[in-house]
């Protein structure tokens, strides 16, 4: 999944010559906290309701505001993980997509990414989720995969995040294609892996909200 595949065509950019009133109306209409502002296909940055209210001038042109997130951009070939990283770094819900010439192509919302993730086989396939805490120096996905496969199971996907309390440690989240994780947990613990989270899905179909809620936990967001 790359940026070009999930550009949100429903969210239009504002122009630098538009005024703050139009920006407020559009943010309400499209239910966005930020909107991109462009001039001649060049991204100037993002405008927000907070920025407008601070200036207290509803007729002011957007070119006159101090915009944010000018560097909150990815190219059309960027992977969704890179898009999430950029959004997180800038603390914005929108990421702008640029073409090879640096021209504005559109935006992607974090919600778009979550929805796309929710449709992937790794999320849709029934199974269970384990979260492991381990020292980064001891991390070997190949070794963990071997232990999982000894129990006739497969790792469908994995996510690694740094432990916020100890930068020498990581939290590894793995999705496994088995509902019953008992034997896998026992095997991992026998090899001194510390399990700090365990989620076993129901066999019933999830509604969209349930899928997204689970995905949020899964990605640790």
């Amino acid at each position: 999944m790359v940026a070009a595949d999930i550009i949100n065509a429903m969210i239009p950019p504002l122009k630098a010559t538009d005024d703050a009133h139009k920006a407020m109306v559009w943010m309400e209409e499209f239910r966005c906290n930020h909107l991109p502002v462009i001039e001649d296909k060049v991204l100037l940055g993002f405008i927000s309701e907070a920025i407008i209210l601070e200036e207290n001038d509803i007729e002011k042109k957007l070119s006159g505001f101090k915009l944010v997130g000018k560097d909150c951009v990815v190219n059309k070939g960027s992977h969704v993980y890179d898009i999430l990283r950029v959004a997180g770094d800038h603390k914005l819900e929108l990421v702008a997509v640029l073409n090879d010439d640096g021209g504005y192509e559109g935006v992607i919302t974090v919600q778009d990414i979550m929805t796309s993730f929710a449709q992937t086989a790794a999320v849709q396939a029934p199974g269970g989720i384990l979260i492991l805490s381990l020292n980064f120096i001891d991390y070997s996905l190949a070794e963990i995969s071997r232990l999982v496969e000894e129990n006739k199971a497969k790792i469908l996907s994995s996510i690694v995040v740094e432990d916020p309390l100890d930068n020498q440690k990581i939290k590894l989240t793995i999705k496994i294609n088995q509902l019953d994780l008992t034997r896998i947990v026992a095997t991992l613990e026998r090899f001194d892996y510390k399990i700090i989270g365990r989620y076993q899905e129901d066999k019933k179909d999830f509604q969209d909200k349930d899928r997204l809620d689970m995905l949020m936990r899964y990605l640790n967001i």
Side-chain angles (χ1 to χ4, degrees):
M1 232 178 343
V2 297
D5 299 329
I6 50 175
I7 291 176
N8 191 322
M10 300 301 294
I11 300 178
L14 291 157
K15 297 178 182 177
T17 53
D18 291 330
D19 58 30
H21 177 263
K22 181 175 181 178
M24 294 286 281
V25 171
W26 278 24
M27 279 187 277
E28 182 177 357
E29 181 178 349
F30 296 106
R31 299 180 182 180
C32 293
N33 294 325
H34 293 81
L35 281 175
V37 180
I38 67 171
E39 185 173 29
D40 296 327
K41 298 231 31 170
V42 174
L43 177 72
L44 301 180
F46 293 85
I47 189 73
S48 70
E49 181 180 6
I51 293 172
I52 293 172
L53 292 178
E54 186 175 345
E55 290 286 330
N56 195 28
D57 185 353
I58 205 71
E59 296 181 356
K60 187 175 181 178
K61 301 298 183 185
L62 298 182
S63 57
F65 286 90
K66 186 177 181 180
L67 306 176
V68 298
K70 182 180 180 181
D71 297 323
C72 188
V73 300
V74 296
N75 61 47
K76 293 172 67 175
S78 296
H79 191 272
V80 288
Y81 288 166
D82 292 325
I83 304 169
L84 282 173
R85 176 184 55 78
V86 170
D89 288 347
H90 291 272
K91 295 181 172 56
L92 292 178
E93 65 175 18
L94 298 178
V95 176
V97 180
L98 307 183
N99 58 31
D100 293 338
D101 297 322
Y104 176 86
E105 291 286 324
V107 293
I108 297 169
T109 71
V110 172
Q111 182 66 28
D112 294 331
I113 300 172
M114 295 299 99
T115 301
S116 297
F117 265 124
Q119 303 305 316
T120 62
V123 176
Q124 293 285 344
I129 294 169
L130 292 177
I131 304 176
L132 290 69
S133 175
L134 62 159
N135 293 321
F136 181 74
I137 196 171
D138 298 327
Y139 170 58
S140 170
L141 186 59
E143 173 65 14
I144 295 170
S145 296
R146 183 184 68 79
L147 297 175
V148 169
E149 290 174 9
E150 283 183 0
N151 291 278
K152 296 181 172 57
K154 297 284 187 181
I155 293 178
L156 298 176
S157 66
S158 64
I159 299 287
V160 176
V161 296
E162 186 178 281
D163 190 325
L165 301 178
D166 186 347
N167 61 13
Q168 300 300 312
K169 289 189 173 184
I170 61 169
K171 292 181 181 179
L172 170 67
T173 302
I174 53 176
K175 172 76 178 282
I176 300 169
N177 68 337
Q178 278 191 10
L179 292 170
D180 186 355
L181 302 175
T182 305
R183 292 178 60 185
I184 295 171
V185 168
T187 299
L188 291 171
E189 289 181 338
R190 190 165 70 250
F191 283 84
D192 296 325
Y193 286 100
K194 183 179 179 182
I195 311 296
I196 60 173
R198 175 173 172 173
Y199 304 94
Q200 290 175 256
E201 300 177 2
D202 294 328
K203 292 184 179 180
K204 66 180 182 179
D205 289 334
F206 291 102
Q207 298 298 320
D208 286 343
K209 183 179 184 302
D210 295 329
R211 290 193 182 108
L212 290 176
D213 288 345
M214 184 171 186
L215 181 61
M216 294 294 192
R217 296 198 304 269
Y218 176 42
L219 294 176
N220 229 4
I221 292 176

